[in-house]
Amino acid sequence: MRRTLTVAAAAAALLVSAGPLPVAEAGGSVAVAASRWGTHEAESFWTPERMASARPLPPGPAERRAAAPQDRATPEPPVDLLTPGTSGTPVPIAPVAPAPPLPPLPPLPPDQPREPGEPDEPAEPDEQVRPADPSPDATASPSTTPTAPTPEPTPTPVTLPAPAPVRPALPRIPAAGPGVGQDFGGLPVVGRMFLVKGGGSYFCTASVVASPGRNLIISAAHCLTGADTQQVAFVPQYTRAKPRPFGMFPVLRTAAGRSRIWIDQRYRTQGVNRAAALDVAFAQVGPGPKGFRVQDVVGGNRLVTGAGYAHARATLIGHPSAAARPRLCVNRTTKYTSTDSRIPGSFLRIACTGYPGGTSGGPFLLRLNARTGTGDVVGVIGGWKTGGDRPDVSYSSYFGADIRKLYEKAVAGAKAP
């Protein structure tokens, strides 16, 4: 797909093994022990120059690209944009013409009603995620027997407690028509996630997800699979002009040198296509340069599972490959069920212009609050063809029972000391 390529290795362990540090450019090498990867090491390795030169992982068969229709095994059905003032009347996505500017996006109250005519918008969630079972060892290797994703029952939304307000000043959220992507100054809760794979420097998009330990980020699993994925670090609100506005938060390692990343084992064993419905990953990050936890610094989005596929107003944020700043877009989401037997499952789909490589892992947010800069995360770019096969339509694995269980495992394994 357009976003990033990962090697779909059948890893036996749940956590990604960390190997020796690759050779860095002249003047930038850092000698790091396998288990030693803190803020100092991360900031020494990921210099502003190296971050600026990082790129999405190389393209491959499952990567998103600007493919001609005949290049795709299964032609993609048309996707509708929501035209302002038409009460839900759709227009074709291609070609997409910029819509007239709308007033600045206002904060959405917690109980924002759905738009008239939106058929499948569920009631607002009111059930809290049950406490994670602390007994399982989150770092232990699960069974490698491939199994199908858990079938989804009738959606019953489940949310986390609301995160604390964000204190940093927020940039202006751009006004544009539905489905029109706009570059902007970013939000503190969303950033670039840098990593090394095969000796190269790459990035995806990631965001902070609210958790009891206040130390978890969420991204796409296809960004983090592979035993050669190393030197992973999260940089909130990265822009080329201000590459570390809140510092850098390294993805921690165990004493054995394994990055603290949680991916459903079925995704590792079955691969990015067969297990596309499980393209979600959580990672534990260490404190920033001033010793504070990431959620205490920039806030966190609430994880919402079981909320259905159709949402009248979702915000998509990602870091495009060649852009100096992140991109934001607002549009409705719809349900897409794959007709390709090689990529089974149902996914969230949103029509938003200009989301090429690098945007993988970017959050689908509901009820984005312009004051706190946080909302409810119901998806991340990934899943069907690891997020889509053209930059103007994006997909996400559905956040259901499997993703909630994975989150609970990450919470249990990432308890703050």
Side-chain angles (χ1 to χ4, degrees), residues 189 192-194 205-211 214-219 224 232-236 249-251 260 262 280-285 294-295 407 410:
V189 76
R192 280 195 182 188
M193 179 180 66
F194 294 93
T205 303
S207 57
V208 182
V209 59
S211 68
R214 309 180 73 80
N215 57 2
L216 287 181
I217 60 173
I218 185 172
S219 188
L224 293 167
V232 189
F234 174 66
V235 182
F249 298 82
V251 171
R260 301 192 64 80
W262 288 266
V280 180
F282 297 94
Q284 179 185 2
V285 296
V294 66
Q295 190 177 327
Y407 167 80

PDB file of all heavy atoms in Angstrom, residues 189 192-194 205-211 214-219 224 232-236 249-251 260 262 280-285 294-295 407 410:
ATOM      1  N   VAL A 189      -0.785  15.618  20.797  1.00  0.00           N
ATOM      2  CA  VAL A 189      -1.053  14.207  21.078  1.00  0.00           C
ATOM      3  C   VAL A 189      -0.691  13.285  19.913  1.00  0.00           C
ATOM      4  O   VAL A 189      -0.638  12.068  20.068  1.00  0.00           O
ATOM      5  CB  VAL A 189      -2.530  14.038  21.480  1.00  0.00           C
ATOM      6  CG1 VAL A 189      -3.444  14.112  20.255  1.00  0.00           C
ATOM      7  CG2 VAL A 189      -2.760  12.778  22.274  1.00  0.00           C
ATOM      8  N   ARG A 192       5.265  11.881  14.932  1.00  0.00           N
ATOM      9  CA  ARG A 192       5.968  10.891  14.122  1.00  0.00           C
ATOM     10  C   ARG A 192       6.605   9.843  15.035  1.00  0.00           C
ATOM     11  O   ARG A 192       7.114  10.171  16.111  1.00  0.00           O
ATOM     12  CB  ARG A 192       7.057  11.535  13.276  1.00  0.00           C
ATOM     13  CG  ARG A 192       6.565  12.216  12.015  1.00  0.00           C
ATOM     14  CD  ARG A 192       7.721  12.509  11.063  1.00  0.00           C
ATOM     15  NE  ARG A 192       7.275  13.201   9.865  1.00  0.00           N
ATOM     16  CZ  ARG A 192       8.049  13.439   8.807  1.00  0.00           C
ATOM     17  NH1 ARG A 192       9.310  13.024   8.820  1.00  0.00           N
ATOM     18  NH2 ARG A 192       7.571  14.076   7.749  1.00  0.00           N
ATOM     19  N   MET A 193       6.569   8.607  14.586  1.00  0.00           N
ATOM     20  CA  MET A 193       7.245   7.514  15.270  1.00  0.00           C
ATOM     21  C   MET A 193       8.394   7.067  14.369  1.00  0.00           C
ATOM     22  O   MET A 193       8.183   6.560  13.267  1.00  0.00           O
ATOM     23  CB  MET A 193       6.280   6.353  15.527  1.00  0.00           C
ATOM     24  CG  MET A 193       6.910   5.161  16.218  1.00  0.00           C
ATOM     25  SD  MET A 193       5.706   3.830  16.501  1.00  0.00           S
ATOM     26  CE  MET A 193       5.338   3.340  14.796  1.00  0.00           C
ATOM     27  N   PHE A 194       9.615   7.295  14.825  1.00  0.00           N
ATOM     28  CA  PHE A 194      10.801   6.973  14.040  1.00  0.00           C
ATOM     29  C   PHE A 194      11.313   5.582  14.412  1.00  0.00           C
ATOM     30  O   PHE A 194      11.200   5.143  15.561  1.00  0.00           O
ATOM     31  CB  PHE A 194      11.889   8.020  14.282  1.00  0.00           C
ATOM     32  CG  PHE A 194      11.531   9.384  13.769  1.00  0.00           C
ATOM     33  CD1 PHE A 194      10.919  10.324  14.592  1.00  0.00           C
ATOM     34  CD2 PHE A 194      11.777   9.725  12.442  1.00  0.00           C
ATOM     35  CE1 PHE A 194      10.582  11.582  14.116  1.00  0.00           C
ATOM     36  CE2 PHE A 194      11.431  10.983  11.945  1.00  0.00           C
ATOM     37  CZ  PHE A 194      10.832  11.901  12.776  1.00  0.00           C
ATOM     38  N   THR A 205       3.190   7.373  11.556  1.00  0.00           N
ATOM     39  CA  THR A 205       2.479   8.269  12.457  1.00  0.00           C
ATOM     40  C   THR A 205       2.004   7.474  13.658  1.00  0.00           C
ATOM     41  O   THR A 205       1.670   6.293  13.546  1.00  0.00           O
ATOM     42  CB  THR A 205       1.288   8.913  11.731  1.00  0.00           C
ATOM     43  OG1 THR A 205       1.754   9.611  10.570  1.00  0.00           O
ATOM     44  CG2 THR A 205       0.559   9.903  12.637  1.00  0.00           C
ATOM     45  N   ALA A 206       1.985   8.097  14.832  1.00  0.00           N
ATOM     46  CA  ALA A 206       1.501   7.467  16.060  1.00  0.00           C
ATOM     47  C   ALA A 206       0.849   8.545  16.909  1.00  0.00           C
ATOM     48  O   ALA A 206       1.002   9.745  16.654  1.00  0.00           O
ATOM     49  CB  ALA A 206       2.635   6.778  16.814  1.00  0.00           C
ATOM     50  N   SER A 207       0.115   8.123  17.936  1.00  0.00           N
ATOM     51  CA  SER A 207      -0.530   9.071  18.843  1.00  0.00           C
ATOM     52  C   SER A 207      -0.590   8.470  20.235  1.00  0.00           C
ATOM     53  O   SER A 207      -0.500   7.254  20.410  1.00  0.00           O
ATOM     54  CB  SER A 207      -1.944   9.432  18.350  1.00  0.00           C
ATOM     55  OG  SER A 207      -2.746   8.268  18.204  1.00  0.00           O
ATOM     56  N   VAL A 208      -0.749   9.329  21.218  1.00  0.00           N
ATOM     57  CA  VAL A 208      -0.824   8.883  22.609  1.00  0.00           C
ATOM     58  C   VAL A 208      -2.239   8.415  22.899  1.00  0.00           C
ATOM     59  O   VAL A 208      -3.220   9.091  22.563  1.00  0.00           O
ATOM     60  CB  VAL A 208      -0.440  10.024  23.574  1.00  0.00           C
ATOM     61  CG1 VAL A 208      -0.482   9.533  25.023  1.00  0.00           C
ATOM     62  CG2 VAL A 208       0.939  10.574  23.231  1.00  0.00           C
ATOM     63  N   VAL A 209      -2.349   7.243  23.517  1.00  0.00           N
ATOM     64  CA  VAL A 209      -3.644   6.723  23.920  1.00  0.00           C
ATOM     65  C   VAL A 209      -3.698   6.726  25.441  1.00  0.00           C
ATOM     66  O   VAL A 209      -2.734   6.327  26.110  1.00  0.00           O
ATOM     67  CB  VAL A 209      -3.890   5.310  23.348  1.00  0.00           C
ATOM     68  CG1 VAL A 209      -2.846   4.323  23.802  1.00  0.00           C
ATOM     69  CG2 VAL A 209      -5.291   4.814  23.694  1.00  0.00           C
ATOM     70  N   ALA A 210      -4.786   7.226  26.006  1.00  0.00           N
ATOM     71  CA  ALA A 210      -4.902   7.336  27.461  1.00  0.00           C
ATOM     72  C   ALA A 210      -4.819   5.953  28.094  1.00  0.00           C
ATOM     73  O   ALA A 210      -5.435   4.998  27.632  1.00  0.00           O
ATOM     74  CB  ALA A 210      -6.229   8.011  27.831  1.00  0.00           C
ATOM     75  N   SER A 211      -4.049   5.853  29.172  1.00  0.00           N
ATOM     76  CA  SER A 211      -3.857   4.584  29.872  1.00  0.00           C
ATOM     77  C   SER A 211      -3.518   4.860  31.323  1.00  0.00           C
ATOM     78  O   SER A 211      -3.072   5.960  31.668  1.00  0.00           O
ATOM     79  CB  SER A 211      -2.730   3.774  29.223  1.00  0.00           C
ATOM     80  OG  SER A 211      -1.482   4.406  29.422  1.00  0.00           O
ATOM     81  N   ARG A 214      -0.094   6.046  31.720  1.00  0.00           N
ATOM     82  CA  ARG A 214       0.143   7.304  31.025  1.00  0.00           C
ATOM     83  C   ARG A 214       1.388   7.233  30.139  1.00  0.00           C
ATOM     84  O   ARG A 214       2.120   8.215  30.004  1.00  0.00           O
ATOM     85  CB  ARG A 214       0.235   8.466  32.024  1.00  0.00           C
ATOM     86  CG  ARG A 214      -0.946   8.508  33.000  1.00  0.00           C
ATOM     87  CD  ARG A 214      -0.872   9.652  33.983  1.00  0.00           C
ATOM     88  NE  ARG A 214      -1.157  10.939  33.354  1.00  0.00           N
ATOM     89  CZ  ARG A 214      -2.368  11.407  33.084  1.00  0.00           C
ATOM     90  NH1 ARG A 214      -3.441  10.652  33.364  1.00  0.00           N
ATOM     91  NH2 ARG A 214      -2.538  12.591  32.524  1.00  0.00           N
ATOM     92  N   ASN A 215       1.612   6.057  29.539  1.00  0.00           N
ATOM     93  CA  ASN A 215       2.860   5.834  28.824  1.00  0.00           C
ATOM     94  C   ASN A 215       2.698   4.985  27.568  1.00  0.00           C
ATOM     95  O   ASN A 215       3.639   4.315  27.151  1.00  0.00           O
ATOM     96  CB  ASN A 215       3.883   5.177  29.752  1.00  0.00           C
ATOM     97  CG  ASN A 215       3.377   3.866  30.347  1.00  0.00           C
ATOM     98  OD1 ASN A 215       2.276   3.409  30.043  1.00  0.00           O
ATOM     99  ND2 ASN A 215       4.175   3.261  31.219  1.00  0.00           N
ATOM    100  N   LEU A 216       1.504   5.002  26.937  1.00  0.00           N
ATOM    101  CA  LEU A 216       1.265   4.177  25.756  1.00  0.00           C
ATOM    102  C   LEU A 216       0.994   5.032  24.526  1.00  0.00           C
ATOM    103  O   LEU A 216       0.329   6.067  24.612  1.00  0.00           O
ATOM    104  CB  LEU A 216       0.071   3.246  25.974  1.00  0.00           C
ATOM    105  CG  LEU A 216       0.247   2.053  26.918  1.00  0.00           C
ATOM    106  CD1 LEU A 216      -1.046   1.251  26.973  1.00  0.00           C
ATOM    107  CD2 LEU A 216       1.413   1.174  26.489  1.00  0.00           C
ATOM    108  N   ILE A 217       1.503   4.560  23.382  1.00  0.00           N
ATOM    109  CA  ILE A 217       1.149   5.138  22.094  1.00  0.00           C
ATOM    110  C   ILE A 217       0.506   4.050  21.250  1.00  0.00           C
ATOM    111  O   ILE A 217       0.664   2.857  21.521  1.00  0.00           O
ATOM    112  CB  ILE A 217       2.370   5.732  21.367  1.00  0.00           C
ATOM    113  CG1 ILE A 217       3.437   4.664  21.105  1.00  0.00           C
ATOM    114  CG2 ILE A 217       2.946   6.898  22.150  1.00  0.00           C
ATOM    115  CD1 ILE A 217       4.594   5.162  20.232  1.00  0.00           C
ATOM    116  N   ILE A 218      -0.231   4.464  20.229  1.00  0.00           N
ATOM    117  CA  ILE A 218      -0.906   3.533  19.334  1.00  0.00           C
ATOM    118  C   ILE A 218      -0.510   3.863  17.908  1.00  0.00           C
ATOM    119  O   ILE A 218      -0.372   5.042  17.537  1.00  0.00           O
ATOM    120  CB  ILE A 218      -2.442   3.593  19.518  1.00  0.00           C
ATOM    121  CG1 ILE A 218      -3.135   2.531  18.660  1.00  0.00           C
ATOM    122  CG2 ILE A 218      -2.990   4.974  19.207  1.00  0.00           C
ATOM    123  CD1 ILE A 218      -4.636   2.404  18.952  1.00  0.00           C
ATOM    124  N   SER A 219      -0.294   2.834  17.090  1.00  0.00           N
ATOM    125  CA  SER A 219       0.056   3.005  15.687  1.00  0.00           C
ATOM    126  C   SER A 219      -0.431   1.778  14.932  1.00  0.00           C
ATOM    127  O   SER A 219      -1.212   0.981  15.462  1.00  0.00           O
ATOM    128  CB  SER A 219       1.563   3.212  15.523  1.00  0.00           C
ATOM    129  OG  SER A 219       1.890   3.555  14.179  1.00  0.00           O
ATOM    130  N   LEU A 224       5.575  -1.859  12.711  1.00  0.00           N
ATOM    131  CA  LEU A 224       6.465  -2.312  13.783  1.00  0.00           C
ATOM    132  C   LEU A 224       6.787  -3.795  13.735  1.00  0.00           C
ATOM    133  O   LEU A 224       7.521  -4.281  14.599  1.00  0.00           O
ATOM    134  CB  LEU A 224       5.844  -1.970  15.146  1.00  0.00           C
ATOM    135  CG  LEU A 224       5.756  -0.471  15.440  1.00  0.00           C
ATOM    136  CD1 LEU A 224       4.858  -0.212  16.651  1.00  0.00           C
ATOM    137  CD2 LEU A 224       7.139   0.104  15.692  1.00  0.00           C
ATOM    138  N   VAL A 232      13.279   2.638  18.164  1.00  0.00           N
ATOM    139  CA  VAL A 232      11.960   3.239  17.966  1.00  0.00           C
ATOM    140  C   VAL A 232      11.765   4.382  18.957  1.00  0.00           C
ATOM    141  O   VAL A 232      12.031   4.228  20.160  1.00  0.00           O
ATOM    142  CB  VAL A 232      10.844   2.195  18.136  1.00  0.00           C
ATOM    143  CG1 VAL A 232       9.499   2.785  17.713  1.00  0.00           C
ATOM    144  CG2 VAL A 232      11.146   0.934  17.326  1.00  0.00           C
ATOM    145  N   ALA A 233      11.297   5.513  18.473  1.00  0.00           N
ATOM    146  CA  ALA A 233      11.074   6.673  19.332  1.00  0.00           C
ATOM    147  C   ALA A 233       9.900   7.483  18.801  1.00  0.00           C
ATOM    148  O   ALA A 233       9.667   7.554  17.587  1.00  0.00           O
ATOM    149  CB  ALA A 233      12.325   7.545  19.403  1.00  0.00           C
ATOM    150  N   PHE A 234       9.164   8.098  19.714  1.00  0.00           N
ATOM    151  CA  PHE A 234       7.979   8.895  19.385  1.00  0.00           C
ATOM    152  C   PHE A 234       8.271  10.365  19.637  1.00  0.00           C
ATOM    153  O   PHE A 234       8.790  10.731  20.699  1.00  0.00           O
ATOM    154  CB  PHE A 234       6.796   8.436  20.229  1.00  0.00           C
ATOM    155  CG  PHE A 234       5.556   9.280  20.078  1.00  0.00           C
ATOM    156  CD1 PHE A 234       4.869   9.331  18.867  1.00  0.00           C
ATOM    157  CD2 PHE A 234       5.066  10.021  21.145  1.00  0.00           C
ATOM    158  CE1 PHE A 234       3.726  10.103  18.720  1.00  0.00           C
ATOM    159  CE2 PHE A 234       3.917  10.784  21.015  1.00  0.00           C
ATOM    160  CZ  PHE A 234       3.247  10.832  19.804  1.00  0.00           C
ATOM    161  N   VAL A 235       7.932  11.207  18.663  1.00  0.00           N
ATOM    162  CA  VAL A 235       8.149  12.656  18.775  1.00  0.00           C
ATOM    163  C   VAL A 235       6.811  13.360  18.597  1.00  0.00           C
ATOM    164  O   VAL A 235       6.297  13.471  17.475  1.00  0.00           O
ATOM    165  CB  VAL A 235       9.154  13.162  17.721  1.00  0.00           C
ATOM    166  CG1 VAL A 235       9.394  14.663  17.894  1.00  0.00           C
ATOM    167  CG2 VAL A 235      10.472  12.412  17.836  1.00  0.00           C
ATOM    168  N   PRO A 236       6.191  13.843  19.684  1.00  0.00           N
ATOM    169  CA  PRO A 236       4.890  14.513  19.574  1.00  0.00           C
ATOM    170  C   PRO A 236       4.979  15.795  18.753  1.00  0.00           C
ATOM    171  O   PRO A 236       5.952  16.548  18.862  1.00  0.00           O
ATOM    172  CB  PRO A 236       4.524  14.826  21.034  1.00  0.00           C
ATOM    173  CG  PRO A 236       5.389  13.930  21.865  1.00  0.00           C
ATOM    174  CD  PRO A 236       6.645  13.741  21.082  1.00  0.00           C
ATOM    175  N   PHE A 249      10.370  10.622  23.125  1.00  0.00           N
ATOM    176  CA  PHE A 249       9.969   9.583  24.060  1.00  0.00           C
ATOM    177  C   PHE A 249      10.324   8.217  23.456  1.00  0.00           C
ATOM    178  O   PHE A 249       9.671   7.763  22.519  1.00  0.00           O
ATOM    179  CB  PHE A 249       8.472   9.685  24.358  1.00  0.00           C
ATOM    180  CG  PHE A 249       8.084  10.980  25.018  1.00  0.00           C
ATOM    181  CD1 PHE A 249       7.884  12.132  24.261  1.00  0.00           C
ATOM    182  CD2 PHE A 249       7.934  11.051  26.398  1.00  0.00           C
ATOM    183  CE1 PHE A 249       7.548  13.334  24.864  1.00  0.00           C
ATOM    184  CE2 PHE A 249       7.591  12.255  27.015  1.00  0.00           C
ATOM    185  CZ  PHE A 249       7.403  13.399  26.252  1.00  0.00           C
ATOM    186  N   PRO A 250      11.369   7.571  23.970  1.00  0.00           N
ATOM    187  CA  PRO A 250      11.817   6.308  23.382  1.00  0.00           C
ATOM    188  C   PRO A 250      10.867   5.163  23.700  1.00  0.00           C
ATOM    189  O   PRO A 250      10.311   5.087  24.805  1.00  0.00           O
ATOM    190  CB  PRO A 250      13.178   6.083  24.047  1.00  0.00           C
ATOM    191  CG  PRO A 250      13.033   6.741  25.388  1.00  0.00           C
ATOM    192  CD  PRO A 250      12.177   7.952  25.154  1.00  0.00           C
ATOM    193  N   VAL A 251      10.663   4.262  22.747  1.00  0.00           N
ATOM    194  CA  VAL A 251       9.945   3.019  23.024  1.00  0.00           C
ATOM    195  C   VAL A 251      10.890   2.139  23.837  1.00  0.00           C
ATOM    196  O   VAL A 251      11.991   1.814  23.392  1.00  0.00           O
ATOM    197  CB  VAL A 251       9.505   2.321  21.732  1.00  0.00           C
ATOM    198  CG1 VAL A 251       8.966   0.916  22.024  1.00  0.00           C
ATOM    199  CG2 VAL A 251       8.436   3.150  21.022  1.00  0.00           C
ATOM    200  N   ARG A 260       9.233  -2.891  23.789  1.00  0.00           N
ATOM    201  CA  ARG A 260       7.960  -3.153  24.456  1.00  0.00           C
ATOM    202  C   ARG A 260       6.816  -2.720  23.525  1.00  0.00           C
ATOM    203  O   ARG A 260       6.258  -1.634  23.636  1.00  0.00           O
ATOM    204  CB  ARG A 260       7.918  -2.461  25.809  1.00  0.00           C
ATOM    205  CG  ARG A 260       9.056  -2.935  26.730  1.00  0.00           C
ATOM    206  CD  ARG A 260       8.858  -2.482  28.170  1.00  0.00           C
ATOM    207  NE  ARG A 260       7.667  -3.077  28.765  1.00  0.00           N
ATOM    208  CZ  ARG A 260       7.601  -4.314  29.256  1.00  0.00           C
ATOM    209  NH1 ARG A 260       8.663  -5.102  29.208  1.00  0.00           N
ATOM    210  NH2 ARG A 260       6.490  -4.770  29.792  1.00  0.00           N
ATOM    211  N   TRP A 262       3.211  -4.268  21.556  1.00  0.00           N
ATOM    212  CA  TRP A 262       2.182  -5.310  21.607  1.00  0.00           C
ATOM    213  C   TRP A 262       1.440  -5.348  20.277  1.00  0.00           C
ATOM    214  O   TRP A 262       0.808  -4.376  19.866  1.00  0.00           O
ATOM    215  CB  TRP A 262       1.211  -5.044  22.754  1.00  0.00           C
ATOM    216  CG  TRP A 262       1.840  -5.301  24.091  1.00  0.00           C
ATOM    217  CD1 TRP A 262       1.798  -6.452  24.826  1.00  0.00           C
ATOM    218  CD2 TRP A 262       2.640  -4.376  24.852  1.00  0.00           C
ATOM    219  NE1 TRP A 262       2.524  -6.308  25.983  1.00  0.00           N
ATOM    220  CE2 TRP A 262       3.051  -5.060  26.037  1.00  0.00           C
ATOM    221  CE3 TRP A 262       3.057  -3.059  24.660  1.00  0.00           C
ATOM    222  CZ2 TRP A 262       3.853  -4.450  27.008  1.00  0.00           C
ATOM    223  CZ3 TRP A 262       3.854  -2.458  25.621  1.00  0.00           C
ATOM    224  CH2 TRP A 262       4.234  -3.150  26.780  1.00  0.00           C
ATOM    225  N   VAL A 280      -3.038  -3.186  14.233  1.00  0.00           N
ATOM    226  CA  VAL A 280      -2.970  -2.205  15.323  1.00  0.00           C
ATOM    227  C   VAL A 280      -1.846  -2.622  16.265  1.00  0.00           C
ATOM    228  O   VAL A 280      -1.662  -3.818  16.522  1.00  0.00           O
ATOM    229  CB  VAL A 280      -4.298  -2.118  16.098  1.00  0.00           C
ATOM    230  CG1 VAL A 280      -4.206  -1.092  17.229  1.00  0.00           C
ATOM    231  CG2 VAL A 280      -5.450  -1.766  15.158  1.00  0.00           C
ATOM    232  N   ALA A 281      -1.105  -1.654  16.778  1.00  0.00           N
ATOM    233  CA  ALA A 281      -0.027  -1.938  17.724  1.00  0.00           C
ATOM    234  C   ALA A 281      -0.020  -0.889  18.827  1.00  0.00           C
ATOM    235  O   ALA A 281      -0.350   0.280  18.599  1.00  0.00           O
ATOM    236  CB  ALA A 281       1.330  -1.946  17.017  1.00  0.00           C
ATOM    237  N   PHE A 282       0.339  -1.326  20.027  1.00  0.00           N
ATOM    238  CA  PHE A 282       0.574  -0.430  21.154  1.00  0.00           C
ATOM    239  C   PHE A 282       2.039  -0.536  21.543  1.00  0.00           C
ATOM    240  O   PHE A 282       2.661  -1.601  21.396  1.00  0.00           O
ATOM    241  CB  PHE A 282      -0.304  -0.798  22.348  1.00  0.00           C
ATOM    242  CG  PHE A 282      -1.773  -0.661  22.096  1.00  0.00           C
ATOM    243  CD1 PHE A 282      -2.526  -1.749  21.670  1.00  0.00           C
ATOM    244  CD2 PHE A 282      -2.408   0.560  22.252  1.00  0.00           C
ATOM    245  CE1 PHE A 282      -3.885  -1.625  21.418  1.00  0.00           C
ATOM    246  CE2 PHE A 282      -3.768   0.696  21.999  1.00  0.00           C
ATOM    247  CZ  PHE A 282      -4.510  -0.397  21.581  1.00  0.00           C
ATOM    248  N   ALA A 283       2.602   0.551  22.041  1.00  0.00           N
ATOM    249  CA  ALA A 283       3.996   0.552  22.471  1.00  0.00           C
ATOM    250  C   ALA A 283       4.141   1.391  23.727  1.00  0.00           C
ATOM    251  O   ALA A 283       3.453   2.407  23.895  1.00  0.00           O
ATOM    252  CB  ALA A 283       4.907   1.084  21.368  1.00  0.00           C
ATOM    253  N   GLN A 284       5.041   0.960  24.611  1.00  0.00           N
ATOM    254  CA  GLN A 284       5.309   1.689  25.849  1.00  0.00           C
ATOM    255  C   GLN A 284       6.498   2.610  25.638  1.00  0.00           C
ATOM    256  O   GLN A 284       7.571   2.172  25.215  1.00  0.00           O
ATOM    257  CB  GLN A 284       5.611   0.728  26.995  1.00  0.00           C
ATOM    258  CG  GLN A 284       5.920   1.430  28.322  1.00  0.00           C
ATOM    259  CD  GLN A 284       6.331   0.454  29.402  1.00  0.00           C
ATOM    260  OE1 GLN A 284       6.423  -0.746  29.164  1.00  0.00           O
ATOM    261  NE2 GLN A 284       6.604   0.968  30.593  1.00  0.00           N
ATOM    262  N   VAL A 285       6.299   3.879  25.933  1.00  0.00           N
ATOM    263  CA  VAL A 285       7.382   4.842  25.801  1.00  0.00           C
ATOM    264  C   VAL A 285       7.862   5.282  27.177  1.00  0.00           C
ATOM    265  O   VAL A 285       7.095   5.342  28.136  1.00  0.00           O
ATOM    266  CB  VAL A 285       6.964   6.072  24.968  1.00  0.00           C
ATOM    267  CG1 VAL A 285       6.635   5.670  23.545  1.00  0.00           C
ATOM    268  CG2 VAL A 285       5.773   6.793  25.593  1.00  0.00           C
ATOM    269  N   VAL A 294       4.666  10.722  28.875  1.00  0.00           N
ATOM    270  CA  VAL A 294       4.183  11.381  27.671  1.00  0.00           C
ATOM    271  C   VAL A 294       2.759  11.898  27.835  1.00  0.00           C
ATOM    272  O   VAL A 294       2.435  13.010  27.386  1.00  0.00           O
ATOM    273  CB  VAL A 294       4.306  10.423  26.462  1.00  0.00           C
ATOM    274  CG1 VAL A 294       3.381   9.208  26.605  1.00  0.00           C
ATOM    275  CG2 VAL A 294       4.022  11.158  25.159  1.00  0.00           C
ATOM    276  N   GLN A 295       1.883  11.143  28.475  1.00  0.00           N
ATOM    277  CA  GLN A 295       0.503  11.601  28.626  1.00  0.00           C
ATOM    278  C   GLN A 295       0.413  12.789  29.575  1.00  0.00           C
ATOM    279  O   GLN A 295      -0.474  13.624  29.432  1.00  0.00           O
ATOM    280  CB  GLN A 295      -0.383  10.456  29.124  1.00  0.00           C
ATOM    281  CG  GLN A 295      -1.878  10.774  29.085  1.00  0.00           C
ATOM    282  CD  GLN A 295      -2.723   9.593  29.526  1.00  0.00           C
ATOM    283  OE1 GLN A 295      -2.363   8.441  29.286  1.00  0.00           O
ATOM    284  NE2 GLN A 295      -3.846   9.864  30.165  1.00  0.00           N
ATOM    285  N   TYR A 407      -5.173  -3.973  23.904  1.00  0.00           N
ATOM    286  CA  TYR A 407      -4.923  -2.800  24.744  1.00  0.00           C
ATOM    287  C   TYR A 407      -4.774  -3.203  26.210  1.00  0.00           C
ATOM    288  O   TYR A 407      -3.859  -2.742  26.914  1.00  0.00           O
ATOM    289  CB  TYR A 407      -6.065  -1.793  24.589  1.00  0.00           C
ATOM    290  CG  TYR A 407      -6.058  -0.707  25.640  1.00  0.00           C
ATOM    291  CD1 TYR A 407      -5.217   0.393  25.533  1.00  0.00           C
ATOM    292  CD2 TYR A 407      -6.888  -0.797  26.760  1.00  0.00           C
ATOM    293  CE1 TYR A 407      -5.191   1.375  26.505  1.00  0.00           C
ATOM    294  CE2 TYR A 407      -6.884   0.180  27.730  1.00  0.00           C
ATOM    295  CZ  TYR A 407      -6.029   1.264  27.604  1.00  0.00           C
ATOM    296  OH  TYR A 407      -6.011   2.230  28.583  1.00  0.00           O
ATOM    297  N   ALA A 410      -1.458  -4.637  26.820  1.00  0.00           N
ATOM    298  CA  ALA A 410      -0.429  -3.592  26.855  1.00  0.00           C
ATOM    299  C   ALA A 410      -0.464  -2.838  28.175  1.00  0.00           C
ATOM    300  O   ALA A 410       0.589  -2.531  28.760  1.00  0.00           O
ATOM    301  CB  ALA A 410      -0.630  -2.632  25.681  1.00  0.00           C
TER     302      ALA A 410
END
